[in-house]
Amino acid sequence: QPLEAGDFDDFALRYDEGALSDRGDRGDQAAPLPGQPLEPSKPLLRALITNCCEVESIADTATILACGESLLRGVVYATYGCHPHNYRDYSDDYERRLLDALTAAGRKAVAWGECGLDYHKNYWDAAIPEKREQMMEVFARQARLSVELGLPLVVHTRDAEDDTLAVLRANVPKEHPVHIHAYQGSQELLHHILSTMPGAMIGISFQLLMTWAAHIEELARQVPLDRLVLETDAPFLAGEPRAVPRIAARIAELKSDVTAEEVLRRTNTNCRRLYRIP
């Protein structure tokens, strides 16, 4: 069922224009609950980025962007690409439809992706050489496209570290802006990316607050603040932007030498720089 403008009313009330009218230093946080006064310590919603990862989502993404303009003071942005789960569908026509949607979004389109390799969900296909080659070529094609467009690349990688690195090395300049989305891979890959891809940011998601998060906690400890962005991966891991301060608070606990406010400030700056959001 397609989204309609009315589907956003409740969300807009929680992130209302009263909160959004203040675009000062506190704008790197999330909004107060409905009915609560706007206090200096309350987080505010400054920007929201949604991913359009399949052509079936193009119409809904257009609705989301339109509602962002009318209800949320224009703070909603989008990325466009083909999720690795949908690699079989990628074609010239599929790409053209995504590119047309990206063009129609104008300045609200801020990146290409998410795209990449997922040998966990595509386990059986990844075991077939011809299908693995197809997955890699779909990813490589999109990586090249992000470079051609001059847009950041949002990368999804799971259980596919060697092939992910091979595609990135062959198709993306090391300085190109890359968001390694909701990272949950090895420490070895993490440090390789940090040392060889100066344009890359590491995304830590709401996985950090889940019961099985010990591995994600160690990753969060090791990512320098100037290479870190926080994300909800809504609706799969967290439902709303207001979850981001909770991620920041946990990172502050893990790092022990920084406050949650500083984590929010630094990661907000990183996000805005990566996605070129004014």
Side-chain angles (χ1 to χ4, degrees):
Q1 179 176 335
L3 290 173
E4 299 178 354
D7 296 327
F8 295 86
D9 290 345
D10 184 58
F11 182 88
L13 284 174
R14 295 195 297 280
Y15 299 88
D16 63 14
E17 67 177 42
L20 292 168
S21 65
D22 183 335
R23 301 297 290 271
D25 291 340
R26 291 174 285 120
D28 57 345
Q29 307 170 31
L33 294 171
Q36 290 184 335
L38 188 62
E39 301 171 4
S41 61
K42 289 294 181 182
L44 304 177
L45 178 66
R46 184 119 179 221
L48 185 155
I49 302 171
T50 185
N51 290 348
C52 179
C53 300
E54 55 189 4
V55 295
E56 292 81 4
S57 297
I58 288 174
D60 282 350
T61 302
T63 300
I64 291 170
L65 292 178
C67 290
E69 294 298 303
S70 62
L71 299 175
L72 290 169
R73 299 286 185 93
V75 302
V76 180
Y77 301 85
T79 75
Y80 294 85
C82 178
H83 195 283
H85 297 176
N86 303 321
Y87 79 93
R88 302 173 196 83
D89 301 327
Y90 204 75
S91 64
D92 290 346
D93 180 66
Y94 196 103
E95 183 179 277
R96 179 192 58 77
R97 293 170 67 184
L98 288 170
L99 283 169
D100 287 348
L102 182 147
T103 300
R107 63 186 179 87
K108 294 301 179 180
V110 293
W112 189 268
E114 68 189 85
C115 57
L117 298 171
D118 191 324
Y119 295 167
H120 179 84
K121 289 291 182 68
N122 294 326
Y123 178 82
W124 297 110
D125 282 7
I128 301 171
E130 294 81 5
K131 292 189 175 182
R132 181 182 288 224
E133 182 178 353
Q134 183 182 0
M135 293 179 202
M136 293 181 66
E137 177 50 36
V138 168
F139 179 27
R141 179 170 171 173
Q142 293 183 86
R144 292 190 295 269
L145 185 58
S146 81
V147 176
E148 293 168 12
L149 294 169
L151 288 173
L153 177 67
V154 185
V155 174
H156 174 122
T157 179
R158 190 174 184 192
D159 293 353
E161 296 191 355
D162 290 345
D163 287 348
T164 296
L165 273 180
V167 170
L168 292 174
R169 284 172 178 155
N171 297 281
V172 179
K174 65 180 182 179
E175 299 85 4
H176 190 74
V178 175
H179 174 184
I180 309 296
H181 154 67
Y183 187 70
Q184 56 182 309
S186 70
Q187 294 181 35
E188 291 75 18
L189 177 61
L190 171 67
H191 288 289
H192 185 86
I193 291 169
L194 291 173
S195 63
T196 64
M197 298 173 60
M201 292 285 178
I202 305 297
I204 295 294
S205 73
F206 199 76
Q207 289 174 321
L208 184 65
L209 301 179
M210 295 182 175
T211 56
W212 43 267
H215 175 61
I216 308 299
E217 289 178 346
E218 187 54 39
L219 294 172
R221 287 189 186 97
Q222 297 187 32
V223 181
L225 276 184
D226 63 352
R227 304 293 296 279
L228 178 66
V229 291
L230 308 183
E231 52 185 305
T232 60
D233 198 24
F236 304 105
L237 296 176
E240 291 194 12
R242 68 179 64 248
V244 169
R246 293 178 58 194
I247 304 172
R250 182 61 182 140
I251 287 175
E253 292 175 357
L254 293 168
K255 290 186 177 292
S256 74
D257 60 350
V258 65
T259 65
E261 290 78 8
E262 179 68 5
V263 173
L264 279 171
R265 187 185 68 79
R266 297 277 296 276
T267 55
N268 173 69
T269 298
N270 296 341
C271 180
R272 297 175 78 84
R273 184 173 70 248
L274 174 67
Y275 286 103
R276 302 163 192 165
I277 294 173

Coordinates of all heavy atoms in Angstrom, one line a residue, residues 6-70:
G6 N -0.9 11.7 5.0 CA -1.4 11.5 6.4 C -0.7 10.6 7.2 O -0.7 10.6 8.5
D7 N 0.1 9.6 6.6 CA 0.9 8.7 7.4 C 2.0 9.4 8.2 O 2.6 8.7 9.1 CB 1.5 7.7 6.4 CG 0.5 6.8 5.7 OD1 -0.6 6.5 6.3 OD2 0.7 6.4 4.5
F8 N 2.3 10.6 7.8 CA 3.4 11.3 8.5 C 3.0 12.3 9.6 O 3.8 12.9 10.3 CB 4.2 12.1 7.4 CG 4.9 11.2 6.4 CD1 4.2 10.8 5.3 CD2 6.2 10.7 6.6 CE1 4.8 9.9 4.4 CE2 6.8 9.9 5.7 CZ 6.1 9.5 4.6
D9 N 1.7 12.4 9.8 CA 1.2 13.4 10.7 C 1.7 13.1 12.2 O 2.2 14.1 12.8 CB -0.3 13.4 10.8 CG -0.9 14.0 9.5 OD1 -0.1 14.6 8.7 OD2 -2.1 13.9 9.2
D10 N 1.6 11.9 12.6 CA 2.1 11.6 14.0 C 3.6 11.8 14.1 O 4.1 12.4 15.1 CB 1.7 10.1 14.3 CG 2.1 9.8 15.8 OD1 1.6 10.5 16.7 OD2 2.9 8.8 16.0
F11 N 4.3 11.4 13.1 CA 5.8 11.6 13.2 C 6.1 13.1 13.2 O 7.0 13.5 14.0 CB 6.4 11.0 11.9 CG 7.9 11.1 11.9 CD1 8.7 10.1 12.5 CD2 8.6 12.2 11.3 CE1 10.1 10.2 12.5 CE2 9.9 12.3 11.3 CZ 10.7 11.3 11.9
A12 N 5.4 13.9 12.4 CA 5.7 15.3 12.4 C 5.4 16.0 13.7 O 6.0 16.9 14.1 CB 4.9 16.0 11.3
L13 N 4.3 15.4 14.4 CA 4.0 16.0 15.7 C 5.1 15.8 16.7 O 5.4 16.6 17.6 CB 2.7 15.4 16.2 CG 1.4 15.9 15.6 CD1 0.2 15.1 16.1 CD2 1.2 17.4 15.9
R14 N 5.8 14.6 16.6 CA 6.9 14.3 17.5 C 8.2 15.1 17.2 O 9.0 15.2 18.0 CB 7.2 12.8 17.5 CG 6.0 12.0 18.0 CD 6.5 10.6 18.4 NE 6.9 9.8 17.2 CZ 6.1 9.2 16.3 NH1 4.8 9.4 16.5 NH2 6.6 8.5 15.3
Y15 N 8.3 15.5 15.9 CA 9.4 16.3 15.5 C 8.9 17.6 14.9 O 9.0 17.9 13.7 CB 10.3 15.5 14.5 CG 10.8 14.3 15.0 CD1 10.1 13.1 15.0 CD2 12.1 14.3 15.6 CE1 10.6 11.9 15.5 CE2 12.6 13.1 16.2 CZ 11.9 11.9 16.1 OH 12.4 10.8 16.6
D16 N 8.2 18.4 15.7 CA 7.3 19.5 15.2 C 8.1 20.7 14.8 O 9.3 20.8 15.1 CB 6.2 19.8 16.2 CG 6.8 20.4 17.5 OD1 8.0 20.7 17.6 OD2 6.0 20.4 18.5
E17 N 7.5 21.6 14.1 CA 8.2 22.8 13.6 C 8.6 23.7 14.7 O 9.6 24.5 14.5 CB 7.3 23.6 12.6 CG 6.1 24.2 13.3 CD 5.3 25.0 12.2 OE1 5.2 24.5 11.1 OE2 4.9 26.1 12.6
G18 N 8.0 23.6 15.9 CA 8.5 24.4 17.0 C 9.9 24.0 17.4 O 10.8 24.9 17.6
A19 N 10.2 22.7 17.4 CA 11.6 22.3 17.6 C 12.5 22.6 16.5 O 13.6 23.0 16.6 CB 11.6 20.8 17.9
L20 N 11.9 22.4 15.2 CA 12.8 22.6 14.1 C 13.0 24.1 13.8 O 13.9 24.4 13.0 CB 12.1 22.0 12.9 CG 12.1 20.4 12.9 CD1 11.1 19.9 11.9 CD2 13.4 19.9 12.8
S21 N 12.3 25.0 14.3 CA 12.5 26.4 14.1 C 13.8 26.9 14.7 O 14.3 27.9 14.3 CB 11.3 27.2 14.6 OG 11.3 27.2 16.0
D22 N 14.3 26.2 15.7 CA 15.6 26.6 16.3 C 16.6 25.8 15.5 O 16.8 24.6 15.8 CB 15.6 26.2 17.8 CG 16.8 26.7 18.4 OD1 17.9 26.8 17.8 OD2 16.8 26.9 19.7
R23 N 17.4 26.4 14.7 CA 18.4 25.7 13.9 C 19.8 26.1 14.3 O 20.8 26.3 13.6 CB 18.3 26.1 12.4 CG 16.9 25.8 11.8 CD 16.7 24.3 11.9 NE 17.5 23.6 10.9 CZ 17.2 23.3 9.7 NH1 16.0 23.7 9.2 NH2 18.0 22.7 8.9
G24 N 20.0 26.3 15.7 CA 21.3 26.7 16.2 C 22.1 25.5 16.6 O 22.1 24.5 16.0
D25 N 22.9 25.7 17.6 CA 23.9 24.7 18.0 C 23.3 23.4 18.4 O 24.0 22.4 18.4 CB 24.8 25.2 19.1 CG 25.7 26.4 18.6 OD1 25.9 26.4 17.4 OD2 26.2 27.1 19.4
R26 N 22.0 23.4 18.9 CA 21.4 22.2 19.3 C 20.8 21.4 18.2 O 20.2 20.4 18.5 CB 20.4 22.6 20.4 CG 21.0 23.1 21.7 CD 19.9 23.6 22.7 NE 19.4 24.8 22.2 CZ 18.1 25.0 21.9 NH1 17.3 24.1 22.0 NH2 17.7 26.2 21.6
G27 N 21.0 21.8 17.0 CA 20.3 21.1 15.9 C 20.9 19.8 15.5 O 20.5 19.2 14.6
D28 N 21.9 19.4 16.2 CA 22.5 18.1 15.9 C 21.9 16.9 16.7 O 22.5 15.9 16.7 CB 24.1 18.1 16.1 CG 24.4 18.5 17.5 OD1 23.6 19.0 18.2 OD2 25.6 18.3 17.9
Q29 N 20.8 17.2 17.3 CA 20.2 16.1 18.2 C 18.8 15.9 17.7 O 18.3 16.3 16.7 CB 20.3 16.6 19.6 CG 21.8 17.0 20.0 CD 21.8 17.7 21.3 OE1 21.1 17.4 22.2 NE2 22.8 18.6 21.5
A30 N 18.0 15.1 18.5 CA 16.7 14.7 18.2 C 15.7 15.6 18.9 O 16.0 16.3 19.8 CB 16.4 13.3 18.5
A31 N 14.4 15.5 18.6 CA 13.4 16.4 19.1 C 12.7 16.0 20.4 O 12.7 14.8 20.8 CB 12.3 16.6 18.1
P32 N 12.2 17.0 21.2 CA 11.5 16.7 22.5 C 10.2 15.9 22.2 O 9.6 16.0 21.1 CB 11.3 18.0 23.1 CG 11.2 19.0 21.9 CD 12.2 18.4 20.9
L33 N 9.7 15.3 23.2 CA 8.4 14.6 23.1 C 7.3 15.7 23.0 O 7.4 16.8 23.4 CB 8.1 13.8 24.4 CG 9.1 12.6 24.5 CD1 8.8 11.9 25.9 CD2 8.8 11.6 23.4
P34 N 6.2 15.3 22.4 CA 5.1 16.3 22.2 C 4.6 16.8 23.6 O 4.5 16.1 24.6 CB 4.0 15.4 21.6 CG 4.7 14.3 20.9 CD 5.9 14.0 21.8
G35 N 4.4 18.1 23.6 CA 3.9 18.8 24.8 C 5.0 19.2 25.7 O 4.8 20.0 26.7
Q36 N 6.3 18.8 25.5 CA 7.3 19.2 26.4 C 7.9 20.5 25.9 O 8.0 20.8 24.7 CB 8.5 18.1 26.4 CG 8.1 16.8 27.1 CD 9.3 15.9 27.2 OE1 10.2 16.0 26.4 NE2 9.3 15.0 28.1
P37 N 8.3 21.4 26.9 CA 8.9 22.6 26.4 C 10.3 22.4 25.8 O 11.0 21.4 26.0 CB 9.1 23.4 27.8 CG 9.2 22.3 28.8 CD 8.3 21.2 28.3
L38 N 10.6 23.3 24.9 CA 11.9 23.3 24.2 C 13.0 23.8 25.2 O 13.1 24.9 25.5 CB 11.9 24.1 22.9 CG 13.1 24.0 22.0 CD1 13.2 22.6 21.5 CD2 12.9 25.0 20.9
E39 N 13.8 22.9 25.7 CA 14.9 23.2 26.6 C 16.2 23.1 25.9 O 16.4 22.4 25.0 CB 14.8 22.3 27.8 CG 13.5 22.3 28.5 CD 13.4 21.2 29.6 OE1 14.4 20.5 29.8 OE2 12.3 21.1 30.2
P40 N 17.2 23.9 26.4 CA 18.5 23.9 25.8 C 19.2 22.5 25.7 O 19.9 22.2 24.8 CB 19.3 24.8 26.7 CG 18.3 25.7 27.3 CD 17.1 24.9 27.5
S41 N 18.8 21.6 26.7 CA 19.5 20.3 26.7 C 18.7 19.3 25.9 O 19.2 18.2 25.7 CB 19.5 19.8 28.1 OG 18.2 19.7 28.7
K42 N 17.6 19.7 25.3 CA 16.8 18.7 24.5 C 17.3 18.5 23.1 O 17.7 19.5 22.5 CB 15.3 19.2 24.5 CG 14.6 19.1 25.8 CD 14.4 17.7 26.2 CE 13.6 17.6 27.5 NZ 13.5 16.2 28.0
P43 N 17.4 17.3 22.6 CA 17.9 17.1 21.3 C 16.9 17.5 20.2 O 15.7 17.4 20.5 CB 18.1 15.6 21.2 CG 18.0 15.0 22.6 CD 17.2 16.0 23.3
L44 N 17.4 18.0 19.1 CA 16.5 18.4 18.0 C 16.9 17.6 16.7 O 18.0 17.3 16.5 CB 16.7 19.9 17.7 CG 16.4 20.8 18.9 CD1 16.7 22.3 18.4 CD2 15.0 20.7 19.4
L45 N 15.9 17.4 15.9 CA 16.1 16.8 14.6 C 16.6 17.8 13.6 O 16.0 18.8 13.3 CB 14.8 16.2 14.1 CG 14.8 15.5 12.7 CD1 15.7 14.3 12.8 CD2 13.4 15.2 12.2
R46 N 17.8 17.5 13.1 CA 18.4 18.5 12.1 C 18.4 18.0 10.7 O 18.3 18.7 9.8 CB 19.8 18.8 12.6 CG 20.5 19.8 11.7 CD 20.9 21.0 12.5 NE 21.6 22.0 11.8 CZ 22.7 22.6 12.2 NH1 23.2 22.4 13.4 NH2 23.3 23.5 11.4
A47 N 18.5 16.6 10.5 CA 18.5 16.1 9.2 C 18.1 14.6 9.3 O 18.5 13.9 10.3 CB 19.8 16.2 8.5
L48 N 17.4 14.1 8.3 CA 17.0 12.7 8.3 C 17.3 12.2 6.9 O 16.8 12.8 5.9 CB 15.5 12.6 8.6 CG 14.9 11.1 8.7 CD1 13.7 11.2 9.7 CD2 14.5 10.6 7.4
I49 N 18.0 11.1 6.7 CA 18.3 10.5 5.4 C 17.6 9.2 5.3 O 17.8 8.3 6.1 CB 19.8 10.4 5.3 CG1 20.5 11.7 5.4 CG2 20.2 9.8 3.9 CD1 22.0 11.6 5.5
T50 N 16.8 9.0 4.3 CA 16.2 7.7 4.0 C 16.8 7.1 2.7 O 17.2 7.8 1.8 CB 14.6 7.9 3.8 OG1 14.0 6.7 3.7 CG2 14.3 8.8 2.6
N51 N 16.8 5.8 2.7 CA 17.4 5.1 1.6 C 16.3 4.5 0.7 O 15.4 3.8 1.2 CB 18.2 3.9 2.1 CG 19.5 4.3 2.7 OD1 19.9 5.4 2.7 ND2 20.2 3.4 3.4
C52 N 16.4 4.8 -0.6 CA 15.5 4.2 -1.6 C 16.4 3.1 -2.3 O 17.2 3.4 -3.2 CB 15.0 5.2 -2.6 SG 14.0 4.6 -3.9
C53 N 16.2 1.9 -1.9 CA 17.1 0.8 -2.3 C 16.5 -0.2 -3.3 O 17.0 -1.2 -3.6 CB 17.5 0.0 -1.1 SG 18.3 0.9 0.2
E54 N 15.3 0.2 -3.9 CA 14.6 -0.6 -4.9 C 13.7 0.3 -5.6 O 13.2 1.2 -5.1 CB 13.9 -1.8 -4.2 CG 12.9 -1.4 -3.2 CD 12.3 -2.5 -2.4 OE1 12.8 -3.7 -2.6 OE2 11.5 -2.3 -1.6
V55 N 13.4 -0.1 -6.9 CA 12.5 0.8 -7.7 C 11.1 0.8 -7.1 O 10.4 1.8 -7.3 CB 12.5 0.3 -9.2 CG1 13.9 0.5 -9.8 CG2 12.1 -1.1 -9.3
E56 N 10.7 -0.3 -6.4 CA 9.4 -0.3 -5.8 C 9.2 0.8 -4.8 O 8.1 1.1 -4.4 CB 9.1 -1.6 -5.2 CG 8.9 -2.8 -6.2 CD 10.3 -3.3 -6.7 OE1 11.3 -2.9 -6.2 OE2 10.2 -4.2 -7.6
S57 N 10.3 1.3 -4.2 CA 10.2 2.4 -3.2 C 10.3 3.8 -3.7 O 10.3 4.7 -2.9 CB 11.4 2.1 -2.2 OG 11.3 0.9 -1.5
I58 N 10.4 4.0 -5.0 CA 10.6 5.3 -5.6 C 9.4 6.2 -5.3 O 9.6 7.4 -4.8 CB 10.9 5.2 -7.1 CG1 12.2 4.6 -7.4 CG2 10.7 6.6 -7.8 CD1 12.5 4.3 -8.9
A59 N 8.2 5.7 -5.5 CA 7.1 6.6 -5.2 C 7.0 6.9 -3.7 O 6.7 8.1 -3.4 CB 5.8 5.9 -5.7
D60 N 7.2 6.0 -2.9 CA 7.1 6.2 -1.4 C 8.2 7.2 -1.0 O 8.0 8.1 -0.2 CB 7.3 5.0 -0.6 CG 6.0 4.1 -0.6 OD1 5.0 4.6 -1.0 OD2 6.1 3.0 -0.1
T61 N 9.4 7.1 -1.6 CA 10.5 8.0 -1.3 C 10.1 9.5 -1.7 O 10.4 10.4 -1.0 CB 11.8 7.6 -1.9 OG1 12.1 6.3 -1.5 CG2 12.9 8.5 -1.6
A62 N 9.5 9.6 -2.9 CA 9.0 10.9 -3.3 C 8.0 11.5 -2.3 O 8.0 12.7 -2.0 CB 8.4 10.8 -4.7
T63 N 7.1 10.7 -1.8 CA 6.2 11.1 -0.8 C 6.9 11.6 0.5 O 6.5 12.6 1.1 CB 5.1 10.0 -0.5 OG1 4.4 9.7 -1.7 CG2 4.1 10.5 0.6
I64 N 7.8 10.8 0.9 CA 8.6 11.1 2.1 C 9.3 12.5 2.0 O 9.2 13.3 2.9 CB 9.6 10.0 2.4 CG1 8.9 8.7 2.9 CG2 10.6 10.4 3.5 CD1 9.8 7.5 3.0
L65 N 9.9 12.7 0.8 CA 10.6 13.9 0.6 C 9.6 15.1 0.6 O 9.9 16.2 1.1 CB 11.4 13.9 -0.7 CG 12.6 12.9 -0.7 CD1 13.3 12.9 -2.1 CD2 13.6 13.3 0.3
A66 N 8.5 14.9 -0.1 CA 7.4 16.0 -0.1 C 6.9 16.3 1.3 O 6.8 17.5 1.6 CB 6.3 15.5 -1.0
C67 N 6.7 15.3 2.1 CA 6.3 15.5 3.5 C 7.4 16.2 4.3 O 7.1 17.0 5.2 CB 5.8 14.2 4.1 SG 4.3 13.6 3.4
G68 N 8.6 15.8 4.0 CA 9.7 16.5 4.7 C 9.7 18.0 4.4 O 10.1 18.8 5.3
E69 N 9.4 18.4 3.2 CA 9.3 19.8 2.8 C 8.1 20.5 3.5 O 8.3 21.6 4.0 CB 9.2 19.9 1.3 CG 10.4 19.5 0.5 CD 11.6 20.3 0.9 OE1 11.6 21.5 0.7 OE2 12.6 19.7 1.3
S70 N 7.0 19.8 3.5 CA 5.8 20.5 4.0 C 5.6 20.4 5.5 O 5.0 21.3 6.2 CB 4.5 19.9 3.4 OG 4.4 18.5 3.7

